[in-house]
Amino acid sequence: DAGITQSPRHKVTETGTPVTLRCHQTENHRYMYWYRQDPGHGLRLIHYSYGVKDTDKGEVSDGYSVSRSKTEDFLLTLESATSSQTSVYFCAISASGGNSPLHFGNGTRLTVT
Amino acid sequence: GESVGLHLPTLSVQEGDNSIINCAYSNSASDYFIWYKQESGKGPQFIIDIRSNMDKRQGQRVTVLLNKTVKHLSLQIAATQPGDSAVYFCAERNSGGGADGLTFGKGTHLIIQP
């Protein structure tokens, strides 16, 4: 495994509540990513980070925010969860961005009721 | 829309046979390709990658072939084992893309029959 820990592994929350997912890495990689995986879709990028306090939006960023205050931690926040955000969320890390493979954590299954 | 896709959503092979999983891509500017394996309940696991200046790359029991003429990528798994059962998907990087430039296919479910 690539030294990536996602927490929690499972969460059930109600519509309208805030939710924060955490990704912790021990590889000291510069790049970190949040993806969501849904049936019928490939992995879709939500946000990514290219360094401490440096983040950018991905393909499906609406309704999500991120923060990276330390190299090892990348947080994904749903300010007000909606049912459409029910998904499996994966964190990934990369040593050199798009020129090297991404290594993924084992995911967080989020259910919004 | 999806620029990376797979020809078959499910592939069933006999244990011990070779498996070939295919991937078509539409962006001729893509210059880097990756294959992932995903087991149930786990995150995608890197298998092998290939850059566009190559047409073949081999790993342990796996070979990736890249045909840029027809924009086709394949993953060959030799002597398939029960542990190879998983969803396999490819990813491509647009050469004009940055750190966010990977596009993922939807996956093929490989089923190993005893």
Side-chain angles (χ1 to χ4, degrees), chain B residues 3-7 22-30 33 65-74 90 92:
Chain B
S3 65
V4 176
L6 297 167
H7 296 308
N22 297 303
C23 182
Y25 64 97
S26 58
N27 191 341
S28 58
S30 293
F33 304 86
L65 299 177
L66 176 62
N67 185 330
K68 295 180 285 294
T69 301
V70 295
K71 294 197 283 290
H72 184 266
L73 186 72
S74 68
C90 61
E92 64 173 314

Side-chain angles (χ1 to χ4, degrees), chain B residues 54-68:
Chain B
M54 304 173 69
D55 54 19
K56 180 179 180 179
R57 191 166 186 221
Q58 290 184 290
Q60 185 178 12
R61 275 200 314 119
V62 295
T63 300
V64 56
L65 299 177
L66 176 62
N67 185 330
K68 295 180 285 294

Side-chain angles (χ1 to χ4, degrees), chain A residues 21-110:
Chain A
L21 308 184
R22 179 178 183 246
C23 179
H24 178 80
Q25 60 143 331
T26 58
E27 304 297 318
N28 201 36
H29 282 351
R30 177 182 175 188
Y31 295 87
M32 297 187 75
Y33 306 79
W34 278 107
Y35 285 87
R36 60 179 290 173
Q37 186 176 48
D38 303 288
H41 296 272
L43 288 160
R44 293 182 291 175
L45 181 64
I46 304 171
H47 281 278
Y48 69 101
S49 170
Y50 47 96
V52 173
K53 296 192 169 130
D54 292 323
T55 65
D56 207 345
K57 295 179 180 180
E59 176 189 358
V60 291
S61 61
D62 287 349
Y64 302 94
S65 63
V66 290
S67 66
R68 190 163 178 206
S69 59
K70 297 185 289 184
T71 298
E72 58 266 35
D73 291 326
F74 193 32
L75 305 180
L76 176 71
T77 297
L78 291 67
E79 300 292 346
S80 178
T82 67
S83 59
S84 65
Q85 293 176 313
T86 292
S87 187
V88 180
Y89 292 86
F90 287 101
C91 173
I93 65 174
S94 172
S96 58
N99 286 317
S100 60
L102 273 61
H103 297 279
F104 289 84
N106 281 324
T108 294
R109 181 173 293 277
L110 176 68

Side-chain angles (χ1 to χ4, degrees), chain A residues 33 37 40 98-99 101-102 105-106, chain B residues 32 36 38 43 51 93 99 106:
Chain A
Y33 306 79
Q37 186 176 48
N99 286 317
L102 273 61
N106 281 324
Chain B
Y32 179 52
Y36 285 93
Q38 187 173 21
R51 301 192 186 276
R93 188 187 85 105
K106 297 176 185 175

